[in-house]
Amino acid sequence: KSTISYTLVGLLGPLVALLLTPLYTRALGVAGYGTVDLVQTLAHVAYTTALWGIPTTLASRYHPADTAHARDLVTNALGVGVAVALVLAVVLGITAPWLALYGQRPALTQYILIQMLSLPCGVLHGVVLAWLRLHGDMLRSMVVQVGVVVVTAVTRVVLVLWWQWGEL
């Protein structure tokens, strides 16, 4: 039951992205959407790198009966994940102009900077989600996951429309 529930909620994000793709391509054009897609790919690589091994380590070392150890483990995981995310965000922010030049996409710099602002929050989300699942709190885990999909979709729609109107 848990696996099916997590899978269905996990498919919600890609489904929403698929449904919003026509809006993105209409508002941004094919080249603009390609730039946004490139930034999204870079953000996913940065997110995966920042979380690298943290959920697995939590799963192997987490013992809910030992509340003090579990609390320390989750706290340390949050600290390490956010620290790595901040370093990656700064490095990618500094290299964003070079990436834009290399990719021949001038808008890449501002999009990378915007996306990197959310990287530490994404890592917090990933660690909290892993902790909720290990804690056996399926309902809160699903609420957090759906909430992030909704906030992300609304934010992207607002930014895409804002960009289309020439404000960004």
Side-chain angles (χ1 to χ4, degrees):
K1 178 181 170 185
S2 297
T3 303
I4 290 170
S5 299
Y6 291 142
T7 302
L8 291 175
V9 172
L11 291 174
L12 185 62
L15 178 63
V16 169
L18 181 67
L19 293 173
L20 290 176
T21 298
L23 171 70
Y24 297 157
T25 54
R26 195 172 333 120
L28 301 172
V30 175
Y33 182 71
T35 301
V36 171
D37 189 50
L38 182 61
V39 172
Q40 284 299 115
T41 301
L42 180 65
H44 286 296
V45 169
Y47 172 77
T48 303
T49 302
L51 269 180
W52 199 10
I54 291 176
T56 306
T57 302
L58 281 176
S60 67
R61 301 195 46 150
Y62 187 83
H63 304 290
D66 186 357
T67 56
H69 180 262
R71 183 181 59 245
D72 290 343
L73 187 65
V74 172
T75 301
N76 289 333
L78 286 168
V80 168
V82 169
V84 171
L86 287 170
V87 168
L88 283 172
V90 168
V91 167
L92 288 171
I94 290 170
T95 59
W98 177 80
L99 293 170
L101 182 64
Y102 181 73
Q104 298 178 358
R105 295 176 186 258
L108 202 60
T109 300
Q110 68 184 12
Y111 293 147
I112 289 173
L113 295 174
I114 290 169
Q115 190 67 46
M116 289 305 105
L117 290 173
S118 69
L119 186 60
C121 295
V123 170
L124 281 173
H125 164 260
V127 174
V128 168
L129 200 57
W131 171 73
L132 287 171
R133 289 178 177 175
L134 288 170
H135 195 60
D137 199 340
M138 189 170 81
L139 179 61
R140 283 192 183 132
S141 171
M142 290 175 26
V143 167
V144 166
Q145 205 165 358
V146 169
V148 166
V149 168
V150 169
V151 167
T152 301
V154 169
T155 302
R156 288 182 183 166
V157 167
V158 167
L159 286 174
V160 164
L161 293 177
W162 190 9
W163 187 84
Q164 179 192 20
W165 293 332
E167 299 291 333
L168 186 64

mmCIF file of all heavy atoms in Angstrom, residues 4 20 23 26-27 39 43 51 63 72 81-82 86 88 90 110-112 117 119 129 137-138 145 149 154 158:
data_model
loop_
_atom_site.group_PDB
_atom_site.id
_atom_site.type_symbol
_atom_site.label_atom_id
_atom_site.label_comp_id
_atom_site.label_asym_id
_atom_site.label_seq_id
_atom_site.Cartn_x
_atom_site.Cartn_y
_atom_site.Cartn_z
ATOM 1 N N ILE A 4 2.681 1.734 -3.441
ATOM 2 C CA ILE A 4 1.750 2.199 -4.475
ATOM 3 C C ILE A 4 1.405 3.670 -4.246
ATOM 4 O O ILE A 4 1.397 4.471 -5.183
ATOM 5 C CB ILE A 4 0.474 1.321 -4.502
ATOM 6 C CG1 ILE A 4 0.816 -0.067 -5.038
ATOM 7 C CG2 ILE A 4 -0.610 1.966 -5.348
ATOM 8 C CD1 ILE A 4 -0.301 -1.079 -4.896
ATOM 9 N N LEU A 20 1.776 21.022 -18.294
ATOM 10 C CA LEU A 20 2.123 22.439 -18.439
ATOM 11 C C LEU A 20 3.062 22.712 -19.615
ATOM 12 O O LEU A 20 3.291 23.875 -19.955
ATOM 13 C CB LEU A 20 2.759 22.949 -17.147
ATOM 14 C CG LEU A 20 1.823 23.074 -15.946
ATOM 15 C CD1 LEU A 20 2.600 23.489 -14.707
ATOM 16 C CD2 LEU A 20 0.698 24.051 -16.228
ATOM 17 N N LEU A 23 1.884 25.189 -22.295
ATOM 18 C CA LEU A 23 1.952 26.583 -21.827
ATOM 19 C C LEU A 23 3.382 27.100 -21.924
ATOM 20 O O LEU A 23 3.619 28.205 -22.404
ATOM 21 C CB LEU A 23 1.463 26.686 -20.375
ATOM 22 C CG LEU A 23 1.695 28.039 -19.700
ATOM 23 C CD1 LEU A 23 0.790 29.098 -20.312
ATOM 24 C CD2 LEU A 23 1.493 27.933 -18.210
ATOM 25 N N ARG A 26 4.414 27.601 -25.612
ATOM 26 C CA ARG A 26 3.696 28.728 -26.209
ATOM 27 C C ARG A 26 4.249 30.043 -25.678
ATOM 28 O O ARG A 26 4.453 30.997 -26.423
ATOM 29 C CB ARG A 26 2.197 28.619 -25.913
ATOM 30 C CG ARG A 26 1.363 29.525 -26.779
ATOM 31 C CD ARG A 26 -0.156 29.294 -26.647
ATOM 32 N NE ARG A 26 -0.531 27.954 -26.245
ATOM 33 C CZ ARG A 26 -1.222 27.678 -25.134
ATOM 34 N NH1 ARG A 26 -1.623 28.626 -24.335
ATOM 35 N NH2 ARG A 26 -1.525 26.442 -24.833
ATOM 36 N N ALA A 27 4.507 30.097 -24.384
ATOM 37 C CA ALA A 27 4.981 31.341 -23.773
ATOM 38 C C ALA A 27 6.443 31.620 -24.077
ATOM 39 O O ALA A 27 6.831 32.759 -24.293
ATOM 40 C CB ALA A 27 4.765 31.294 -22.261
ATOM 41 N N VAL A 39 18.292 24.235 -17.850
ATOM 42 C CA VAL A 39 18.461 24.660 -16.455
ATOM 43 C C VAL A 39 17.846 23.621 -15.514
ATOM 44 O O VAL A 39 18.425 23.300 -14.480
ATOM 45 C CB VAL A 39 17.836 26.049 -16.221
ATOM 46 C CG1 VAL A 39 17.825 26.412 -14.748
ATOM 47 C CG2 VAL A 39 18.581 27.096 -17.015
ATOM 48 N N ALA A 43 19.714 21.636 -12.608
ATOM 49 C CA ALA A 43 19.208 21.680 -11.230
ATOM 50 C C ALA A 43 19.000 20.276 -10.671
ATOM 51 O O ALA A 43 19.297 20.018 -9.502
ATOM 52 C CB ALA A 43 17.910 22.477 -11.179
ATOM 53 N N LEU A 51 22.177 15.643 -2.442
ATOM 54 C CA LEU A 51 21.557 14.605 -1.618
ATOM 55 C C LEU A 51 22.294 13.267 -1.681
ATOM 56 O O LEU A 51 21.884 12.320 -1.023
ATOM 57 C CB LEU A 51 20.121 14.352 -2.078
ATOM 58 C CG LEU A 51 19.034 15.152 -1.420
ATOM 59 C CD1 LEU A 51 17.680 14.768 -1.990
ATOM 60 C CD2 LEU A 51 19.030 15.024 0.066
ATOM 61 N N HIS A 63 17.104 4.441 13.519
ATOM 62 C CA HIS A 63 16.419 3.514 14.434
ATOM 63 C C HIS A 63 15.378 4.320 15.207
ATOM 64 O O HIS A 63 15.728 5.057 16.133
ATOM 65 C CB HIS A 63 17.410 2.860 15.401
ATOM 66 C CG HIS A 63 18.520 2.145 14.717
ATOM 67 N ND1 HIS A 63 18.320 0.981 14.014
ATOM 68 C CD2 HIS A 63 19.839 2.438 14.607
ATOM 69 C CE1 HIS A 63 19.470 0.581 13.503
ATOM 70 N NE2 HIS A 63 20.404 1.452 13.832
ATOM 71 N N ASP A 72 19.485 13.246 16.162
ATOM 72 C CA ASP A 72 20.828 13.705 15.797
ATOM 73 C C ASP A 72 21.168 13.343 14.357
ATOM 74 O O ASP A 72 21.767 14.141 13.627
ATOM 75 C CB ASP A 72 21.881 13.121 16.741
ATOM 76 C CG ASP A 72 21.809 13.702 18.137
ATOM 77 O OD1 ASP A 72 21.178 14.779 18.301
ATOM 78 O OD2 ASP A 72 22.379 13.089 19.059
ATOM 79 N N GLY A 81 23.390 18.201 4.054
ATOM 80 C CA GLY A 81 22.709 18.405 2.773
ATOM 81 C C GLY A 81 22.600 19.869 2.394
ATOM 82 O O GLY A 81 22.882 20.251 1.257
ATOM 83 N N VAL A 82 22.222 20.707 3.347
ATOM 84 C CA VAL A 82 22.093 22.141 3.069
ATOM 85 C C VAL A 82 23.462 22.759 2.803
ATOM 86 O O VAL A 82 23.608 23.594 1.898
ATOM 87 C CB VAL A 82 21.350 22.862 4.215
ATOM 88 C CG1 VAL A 82 21.442 24.370 4.076
ATOM 89 C CG2 VAL A 82 19.897 22.425 4.245
ATOM 90 N N LEU A 86 24.368 24.591 -0.618
ATOM 91 C CA LEU A 86 24.827 25.982 -0.678
ATOM 92 C C LEU A 86 26.126 26.108 -1.468
ATOM 93 O O LEU A 86 26.286 27.026 -2.281
ATOM 94 C CB LEU A 86 25.002 26.546 0.731
ATOM 95 C CG LEU A 86 23.715 26.857 1.484
ATOM 96 C CD1 LEU A 86 24.007 27.188 2.950
ATOM 97 C CD2 LEU A 86 22.961 27.992 0.814
ATOM 98 N N LEU A 88 27.222 24.034 -3.828
ATOM 99 C CA LEU A 88 26.895 23.812 -5.241
ATOM 100 C C LEU A 88 26.183 25.023 -5.846
ATOM 101 O O LEU A 88 26.467 25.410 -6.990
ATOM 102 C CB LEU A 88 26.013 22.575 -5.395
ATOM 103 C CG LEU A 88 26.703 21.238 -5.296
ATOM 104 C CD1 LEU A 88 25.673 20.118 -5.267
ATOM 105 C CD2 LEU A 88 27.649 21.034 -6.464
ATOM 106 N N VAL A 90 26.456 28.170 -4.972
ATOM 107 C CA VAL A 90 27.429 29.249 -5.169
ATOM 108 C C VAL A 90 28.318 28.953 -6.378
ATOM 109 O O VAL A 90 28.541 29.831 -7.221
ATOM 110 C CB VAL A 90 28.270 29.468 -3.885
ATOM 111 C CG1 VAL A 90 29.468 30.363 -4.153
ATOM 112 C CG2 VAL A 90 27.401 30.061 -2.787
ATOM 113 N N GLN A 110 20.555 34.103 -15.789
ATOM 114 C CA GLN A 110 19.511 34.467 -14.832
ATOM 115 C C GLN A 110 18.691 33.259 -14.409
ATOM 116 O O GLN A 110 18.293 33.157 -13.244
ATOM 117 C CB GLN A 110 18.614 35.565 -15.382
ATOM 118 C CG GLN A 110 17.738 35.159 -16.544
ATOM 119 C CD GLN A 110 16.951 36.333 -17.096
ATOM 120 O OE1 GLN A 110 17.209 37.480 -16.759
ATOM 121 N NE2 GLN A 110 16.003 36.056 -17.955
ATOM 122 N N TYR A 111 18.452 32.324 -15.313
ATOM 123 C CA TYR A 111 17.675 31.139 -14.953
ATOM 124 C C TYR A 111 18.431 30.249 -13.971
ATOM 125 O O TYR A 111 17.839 29.688 -13.051
ATOM 126 C CB TYR A 111 17.296 30.327 -16.188
ATOM 127 C CG TYR A 111 16.333 31.022 -17.110
ATOM 128 C CD1 TYR A 111 16.390 30.822 -18.476
ATOM 129 C CD2 TYR A 111 15.349 31.887 -16.622
ATOM 130 C CE1 TYR A 111 15.501 31.447 -19.330
ATOM 131 C CE2 TYR A 111 14.469 32.518 -17.467
ATOM 132 C CZ TYR A 111 14.546 32.289 -18.824
ATOM 133 O OH TYR A 111 13.664 32.910 -19.662
ATOM 134 N N ILE A 112 19.731 30.117 -14.168
ATOM 135 C CA ILE A 112 20.535 29.315 -13.232
ATOM 136 C C ILE A 112 20.517 29.967 -11.855
ATOM 137 O O ILE A 112 20.346 29.288 -10.842
ATOM 138 C CB ILE A 112 21.978 29.134 -13.746
ATOM 139 C CG1 ILE A 112 21.999 28.189 -14.949
ATOM 140 C CG2 ILE A 112 22.889 28.596 -12.645
ATOM 141 C CD1 ILE A 112 23.347 28.070 -15.628
ATOM 142 N N LEU A 117 18.683 29.394 -6.181
ATOM 143 C CA LEU A 117 18.098 29.906 -4.938
ATOM 144 C C LEU A 117 17.252 28.837 -4.244
ATOM 145 O O LEU A 117 17.148 28.816 -3.019
ATOM 146 C CB LEU A 117 17.235 31.143 -5.219
ATOM 147 C CG LEU A 117 17.976 32.411 -5.618
ATOM 148 C CD1 LEU A 117 16.978 33.488 -6.030
ATOM 149 C CD2 LEU A 117 18.856 32.897 -4.481
ATOM 150 N N LEU A 119 17.794 25.504 -4.446
ATOM 151 C CA LEU A 119 18.507 24.242 -4.212
ATOM 152 C C LEU A 119 18.550 23.839 -2.732
ATOM 153 O O LEU A 119 18.215 22.701 -2.396
ATOM 154 C CB LEU A 119 19.913 24.283 -4.818
ATOM 155 C CG LEU A 119 20.696 22.978 -4.758
ATOM 156 C CD1 LEU A 119 19.974 21.859 -5.491
ATOM 157 C CD2 LEU A 119 22.092 23.176 -5.345
ATOM 158 N N LEU A 129 11.493 14.430 3.560
ATOM 159 C CA LEU A 129 10.694 13.372 2.948
ATOM 160 C C LEU A 129 11.248 11.998 3.317
ATOM 161 O O LEU A 129 10.481 11.082 3.663
ATOM 162 C CB LEU A 129 10.675 13.560 1.432
ATOM 163 C CG LEU A 129 9.566 12.896 0.657
ATOM 164 C CD1 LEU A 129 8.209 13.341 1.149
ATOM 165 C CD2 LEU A 129 9.717 13.212 -0.818
ATOM 166 N N ASP A 137 5.399 7.838 8.491
ATOM 167 C CA ASP A 137 4.328 8.829 8.426
ATOM 168 C C ASP A 137 3.936 9.042 6.959
ATOM 169 O O ASP A 137 4.318 10.030 6.336
ATOM 170 C CB ASP A 137 4.779 10.133 9.076
ATOM 171 C CG ASP A 137 3.620 11.018 9.443
ATOM 172 O OD1 ASP A 137 2.518 10.832 8.886
ATOM 173 O OD2 ASP A 137 3.817 11.902 10.304
ATOM 174 N N MET A 138 3.169 8.091 6.443
ATOM 175 C CA MET A 138 2.821 8.107 5.028
ATOM 176 C C MET A 138 1.962 9.315 4.657
ATOM 177 O O MET A 138 2.189 9.948 3.628
ATOM 178 C CB MET A 138 2.083 6.818 4.662
ATOM 179 C CG MET A 138 1.874 6.661 3.181
ATOM 180 S SD MET A 138 1.270 5.033 2.743
ATOM 181 C CE MET A 138 -0.455 5.198 3.088
ATOM 182 N N GLN A 145 4.867 15.984 -0.323
ATOM 183 C CA GLN A 145 5.196 15.790 -1.730
ATOM 184 C C GLN A 145 4.196 16.500 -2.646
ATOM 185 O O GLN A 145 4.597 17.166 -3.600
ATOM 186 C CB GLN A 145 5.242 14.296 -2.041
ATOM 187 C CG GLN A 145 6.111 13.960 -3.204
ATOM 188 C CD GLN A 145 6.427 12.470 -3.262
ATOM 189 O OE1 GLN A 145 6.022 11.685 -2.418
ATOM 190 N NE2 GLN A 145 7.160 12.085 -4.277
ATOM 191 N N VAL A 149 4.792 19.810 -5.217
ATOM 192 C CA VAL A 149 4.389 19.810 -6.628
ATOM 193 C C VAL A 149 3.524 21.034 -6.923
ATOM 194 O O VAL A 149 3.723 21.720 -7.929
ATOM 195 C CB VAL A 149 3.641 18.499 -6.992
ATOM 196 C CG1 VAL A 149 2.975 18.611 -8.352
ATOM 197 C CG2 VAL A 149 4.596 17.325 -6.970
ATOM 198 N N VAL A 154 2.927 26.258 -9.499
ATOM 199 C CA VAL A 154 2.460 27.655 -9.448
ATOM 200 C C VAL A 154 3.629 28.611 -9.687
ATOM 201 O O VAL A 154 3.514 29.571 -10.452
ATOM 202 C CB VAL A 154 1.754 27.953 -8.104
ATOM 203 C CG1 VAL A 154 1.520 29.437 -7.921
ATOM 204 C CG2 VAL A 154 0.447 27.186 -8.024
ATOM 205 N N VAL A 158 3.912 31.182 -12.859
ATOM 206 C CA VAL A 158 4.065 32.623 -12.638
ATOM 207 C C VAL A 158 5.340 33.130 -13.306
ATOM 208 O O VAL A 158 5.325 34.156 -14.001
ATOM 209 C CB VAL A 158 4.070 32.951 -11.122
ATOM 210 C CG1 VAL A 158 4.533 34.372 -10.871
ATOM 211 C CG2 VAL A 158 2.683 32.721 -10.542
#
